[in-house]
Amino acid sequence: MKCIDWIKQATIRLSFSNTAIKDVEILLKYVTNYNYAYIFAFNEIKLTINEYKTLELFLQRREKGEPIAYIIGEYEFWSLSFYVSPVTLIPRSDTECLVEQALIRLSNKRYKILDLGTGTGIIALSIAFELPKCLIIGVDINYEIINLAKKNQFRLNIFNVCFLKSNWFSSLLYQRFDMIVSNPPYIKINDIHLKKGDLRFEPIIALVAYDNGMSNLAYIIKQSKKYLKKYGWVILEHGYKQGLSVRNLFKFYGYSNIKTCVDYSKCDRVSLAQYI
């Protein structure tokens, strides 16, 4: 079968998805290493038998709603390519807003930064990539997640990061940081979106929190003061309706320079504050 014919058929089969064209291009490039520009320039290119079989298996998984990132095991974030797996969340581009806000408040000095709930390691490794003199510690709750983050670390050859197993701060006694960042679970338990789209396939423990999604955010804000150096920052990703609640928590616990930043869709997404 010609690549161009497969593209047409696959796009029709994935018409339920509002990203069908992008999905098809990603699958095709992953299997054949051909991008659309090359295929349409040389429209006689044919799939090998093995390529066709692999694409068919991937297409069937996507038809069932499985996220593309889990199918190919990769996702691009901050112009870096990360391994992903069903043990962690799939990175979202809006999390780049958190990285941006962290970099605004850091320079390439020997700062010490903590990434709570590091998952695939995207936040820790993106900051470390930009600031090689900084030391970033990324923690998560089990070794399977930590091993995935380490796999990304070695893939990207970024070694100013240390990944540790820790239930939030539990393995970090007496340590102090210049900055604490986190994208914690913040969806309320009965949220209808949990039964839709990619969220159906992602680990529930990495998605939901008690108290209408606020329990982890509240815990981090309360505890962070014990682990921050003076003038240190806390930067948190949260739901688009949680900005005011997060700012109020920062205020209640005595932080200064409190601010909420919007994501690429102009929705509240990242809140930050400083310990003075």
Side-chain angles (χ1 to χ4, degrees), residues 65-120:
E66 186 175 351
I68 289 287
Y70 286 161
I71 294 172
I72 68 173
E74 296 180 358
Y75 191 89
E76 185 173 297
F77 180 91
W78 203 256
S79 299
L80 303 170
S81 184
F82 290 85
Y83 294 118
V84 298
S85 86
V87 302
T88 63
L89 290 182
I90 298 167
R92 268 69 170 179
S93 59
D94 284 333
T95 301
E96 292 186 356
C97 300
L98 188 156
V99 175
E100 290 170 356
Q101 292 302 319
L103 293 175
I104 288 170
R105 290 158 180 83
L106 296 168
S107 58
N108 194 21
K109 297 180 181 179
R110 297 188 182 279
Y111 289 118
K112 190 175 179 182
I113 303 152
L114 173 63
D115 177 21
L116 291 167
T118 194
T120 53

Side-chain angles (χ1 to χ4, degrees), residues 124-137:
L125 290 167
S126 297
I127 294 173
F129 174 77
E130 297 292 344
L131 303 175
K133 290 183 180 179
C134 290
L135 171 64
I136 298 90
I137 295 178

Side-chain angles (χ1 to χ4, degrees), residues 27 45 56 122 126 141 172 174 183 187 207 220 223 226:
L27 291 176
I45 298 171
E56 179 60 25
I122 59 165
S126 297
I141 198 167
L172 302 167
Y174 310 117
N183 177 17
I187 299 176
L207 293 168
I220 292 169
Q223 296 297 322
K226 301 176 185 177

Side-chain angles (χ1 to χ4, degrees), residues 186 191 193 238-244 263 266-269:
Y186 56 71
D191 194 300
H193 295 94
H238 52 72
Y240 71 99
K241 294 181 179 180
Q242 295 173 325
L244 177 60
D263 59 23
K266 306 301 180 184
C267 297
D268 285 358
R269 184 61 58 190

